[in-house]
């Protein structure tokens, strides 16, 4: 049965530097499979492999097609390793060669353009197994001779396949969280990251992140695509929309957040974090089970607690009422130096004291505040901040029923959980 949704994921050499990086790529593939997507994974050669293969071909002085035959083995090897990594993780997948899918190109052998592919073969294997892995960068001409799509050509492979398969999404996985106006690691001022970016403006930025030929091809075919980091949630959507800045960042200055739970309080905190993206980078939301209906905006963020901890958020917010699995999760987070904020009173009562030594030995802090009889757990925070600077407003997430008088018997106003200023 063909998956109802399909995503094309492209993994570049910048995120496949060593064989250990394939585990992270497997996590990326699995999180989309868990959400019901069929996945087409397009892979580049490991970092440095293409240069090594070009150097290996130099002494022979062969034809362009002969050189392409050798250089394309970098992507073929990478696809095979990805298949092995998926198999080890227990994720069914099939590796398809460019010859098997009959990816035909035209033009110079070193800088060809894809013109045809047997999409039916890809769809058939997706319907059977759910994940296919395809090497990028290479194809063959109508005479069967090997060709390459130019430097960075795996981007073009992914976009070409997306145009032919018409997936729900196409995402290029890079070593950056999106497209920036300048390299955030080198910019003297905080660099802008775009939430939306027009094809023309991406081309004007040069070829630092995406192959220019691939961008021009996407523009000509009106194809939208995303640029994001491995297992990242936010990213840049490239297409016809006017460009819009998502946030400013200077490397590690932006706080990374992980959220546990997506119930009443968790959903409200999720909304507030998205509204405050210039200050926070939400890495993911850990939930248990897949049967409950989730807000559509949260779907790309969903993952397991183990996957969330592997991303090493600076702050983990626990909004669950779980007392069984949360202690081990919080302990693991603290041991990683992650600060944990929890509103889980039962957990704090039963396990808070036992976790204090872990918090003291590591840089991670376990933060909580008591609320008894309808009080608001903010007194300590207000006192601490007020010593340093004036407080202009306080905003919080309400849970339960608020009483403000005059709303009925006993003064019940009838208002329930929500987000807003505290007066």
């Amino acid at each position: 049965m063909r998956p109802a949704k399909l995503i094309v994921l492209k993994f570049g050499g910048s995120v496949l530097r060593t064989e250990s990086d394939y585990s992270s790529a497997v996590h990326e593939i699995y999180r989309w499979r868990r959400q019901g997507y069929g996945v087409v994974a397009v892979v580049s050669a490991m970092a440095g492999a293409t240069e090594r293969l070009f150097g290996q071909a130099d002494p022979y002085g062969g034809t362009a097609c002969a050189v392409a035959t050798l250089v394309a083995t970098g992507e073929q090897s990478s696809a095979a390793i990805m298949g092995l990594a998926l198999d080890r993780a227990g994720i069914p997948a099939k590796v398809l060669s460019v010859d098997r899918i009959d990816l035909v190109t035209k033009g110079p052998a070193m800088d060809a353009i894809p013109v045809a592919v047997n999409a039916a073969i890809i769809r058939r294997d997706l319907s059977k197994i759910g994940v296919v892995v395809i090497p990028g960068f290479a194809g063959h001409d109508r005479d069967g001779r090997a060709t390459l799509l130019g430097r960075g050509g795996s981007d073009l492979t992914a976009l070409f396949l997306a145009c032919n398969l018409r997936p729900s999404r196409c995402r290029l996985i890079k070593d950056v969280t999106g497209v920036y106006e300048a390299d955030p690691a080198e910019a003297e001022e905080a660099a802008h990251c775009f939430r939306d970016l027009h094809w023309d403006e991406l081309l004007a930025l040069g070829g630092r992140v995406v192959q220019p030929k691939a961008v021009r091809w996407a523009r000509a075919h009106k194809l939208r695509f995303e640029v994001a980091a491995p297992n990242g949630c936010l990213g840049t959507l490239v297409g016809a929309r006017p460009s819009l800045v998502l946030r400013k960042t200077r490397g590690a200055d932006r706080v990374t957040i992980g959220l546990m739970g997506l119930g009443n309080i968790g959903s409200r905190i999720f909304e507030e974090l998205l509204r405050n993206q210039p200050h926070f980078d939400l890495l993911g939301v850990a939930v248990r089970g897949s049967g409950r209906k989730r807000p559509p905006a949260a779907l790309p963020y969903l993952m397991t607690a183990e996957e969330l901890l592997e991303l090493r958020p600076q702050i983990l917010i626990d909004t669950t009422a779980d007392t069984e699995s949360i202690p081990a999760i919080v302990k693991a987070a603290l041991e990683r130096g992650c600060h944990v904020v929890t509103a889980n009173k039962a957990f704090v009562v039963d396990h808070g004291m036992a976790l204090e030594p872990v918090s003291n030995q590591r840089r991670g802090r376990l933060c909580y505040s008591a609320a008894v009889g309808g009080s608001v757990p903010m007194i300590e925070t207000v006192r601490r901040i007020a010593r340093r600077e004036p407080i202009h407003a306080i905003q919080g997430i309400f849970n339960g029923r608020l009483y403000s008088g005059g709303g009925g018997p006993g003064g019940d106003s009838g208002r329930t959980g929500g987000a807003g200023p505290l007066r």
Side-chain angles (χ1 to χ4, degrees):
M1 179 179 178
R2 184 182 175 186
K5 300 180 291 184
L6 175 63
I7 186 169
V8 175
L9 299 174
K10 180 263 178 177
F11 298 92
S14 63
V15 297
L16 297 176
R17 296 185 177 278
T18 67
E19 290 190 19
S20 62
D21 291 326
Y22 287 81
S23 295
S24 178
V26 167
H27 280 294
E28 176 77 10
I29 292 169
Y30 176 64
R31 77 179 179 117
W32 293 102
R33 283 297 292 143
R34 195 174 62 245
Q35 295 172 37
Y37 283 85
V39 177
V40 176
V42 177
V43 297
S44 297
M46 273 194 285
T50 300
E51 294 295 338
R52 177 179 57 78
L53 290 166
F54 269 117
Q56 190 175 349
D58 279 345
Y60 295 91
T63 65
C65 289
V67 173
T69 301
L70 175 62
V71 174
T73 61
E75 276 67 25
Q76 294 166 15
S77 174
S78 183
I81 294 171
M82 184 70 81
L84 288 169
L86 288 162
D87 183 66
R88 182 178 63 182
I91 301 173
K94 186 172 183 178
V95 179
L96 298 175
S97 68
V98 293
D99 289 334
R100 181 73 183 95
I101 63 174
D102 196 19
L103 201 160
V104 180
T105 69
K106 68 176 183 179
M110 290 287 108
D111 194 22
I113 298 173
V115 293
V117 67
N118 191 333
I121 290 177
I122 302 174
R123 292 193 185 99
R124 185 190 64 199
D125 285 328
L126 280 171
S127 66
K128 292 179 179 179
I129 205 164
V131 178
V132 298
V133 180
I134 296 172
F137 187 41
H140 60 77
D141 64 19
R142 295 196 182 278
D143 294 324
R145 295 172 299 190
T147 59
L148 302 177
L149 305 184
R151 292 304 181 100
S154 292
D155 289 339
L156 182 53
T157 302
L159 296 177
F160 178 73
L161 291 177
C163 188
N164 283 270
L165 294 169
R166 293 296 173 187
S168 306
R169 305 173 76 162
C170 177
R171 174 170 280 212
L172 308 183
I173 309 298
K174 306 286 185 175
D175 61 348
V176 289
T177 55
V179 179
Y180 292 82
E181 62 177 359
D183 189 335
E186 299 178 359
E188 293 183 2
E189 299 295 330
H192 293 80
C193 179
F194 295 95
R195 189 186 77 181
D196 295 291
L197 187 61
H198 194 277
W199 299 293
D200 292 340
E201 295 194 46
L202 178 55
L203 287 169
L205 292 174
R208 294 192 308 268
V209 179
V210 183
Q211 185 199 42
K213 183 168 74 170
V215 179
R216 290 191 293 271
W217 195 93
R219 181 183 61 185
H221 293 81
K222 300 188 184 305
L223 179 68
R224 297 192 308 170
F225 62 92
E226 306 164 28
V227 178
N231 297 297
C233 301
L234 303 177
T236 298
L237 178 61
V238 180
R241 291 181 182 176
S243 297
L244 176 65
V245 172
L246 173 65
R247 57 183 178 264
K248 291 184 179 181
T249 181
R250 182 190 291 277
D253 288 350
R254 191 175 65 256
V255 177
T256 56
I257 303 286
L259 181 62
M260 296 285 300
L262 203 58
N264 184 32
I265 293 296
S267 296
R268 296 290 184 175
I269 291 177
F270 173 77
E271 294 170 2
E272 292 301 311
L273 289 172
L274 290 189
R275 285 195 195 99
N276 288 275
Q277 285 176 346
H279 308 292
F280 304 107
D281 189 355
L282 180 59
L283 299 182
V285 180
V287 295
R288 291 196 302 175
S290 57
R292 294 182 60 181
K293 187 175 180 180
R294 308 292 185 184
L299 294 181
Y301 294 83
L302 300 184
M303 59 185 65
T304 66
E306 291 75 15
E307 291 168 336
L308 182 56
L309 289 180
E310 285 188 10
L311 298 180
R312 293 186 174 272
Q314 293 169 287
I315 299 175
L316 182 69
I317 302 175
D318 170 32
T319 68
T320 71
D322 179 15
T323 57
E324 295 181 2
S325 60
I326 282 295
I329 294 170
V330 170
K331 182 180 179 182
L334 293 172
E335 289 174 341
R336 286 171 164 82
C338 173
H339 303 304
V340 178
V341 180
T342 182
N344 190 334
K345 293 190 285 286
F347 156 68
V348 171
V349 169
D350 292 340
H351 303 279
M353 293 295 292
L355 288 171
E356 285 294 335
V358 180
S359 179
N360 293 335
Q361 292 169 8
R362 306 285 182 171
R363 290 181 295 174
R365 293 175 55 201
L366 177 60
C367 304
Y368 55 88
S369 184
V372 180
S375 66
V376 180
M378 64 179 187
I379 296 173
E380 301 94 329
T381 302
V382 169
R383 284 177 175 169
R384 185 175 66 253
I385 295 176
R387 294 191 192 105
R388 302 197 303 265
E389 54 188 317
I391 297 175
H392 301 285
I394 299 172
Q395 188 167 349
I397 309 295
F398 301 137
N399 185 32
R401 188 172 295 276
L402 302 182
Y403 296 86
S404 58
D412 183 0
S413 67
R415 183 180 174 189
T416 56
L422 303 178
R423 307 286 184 188

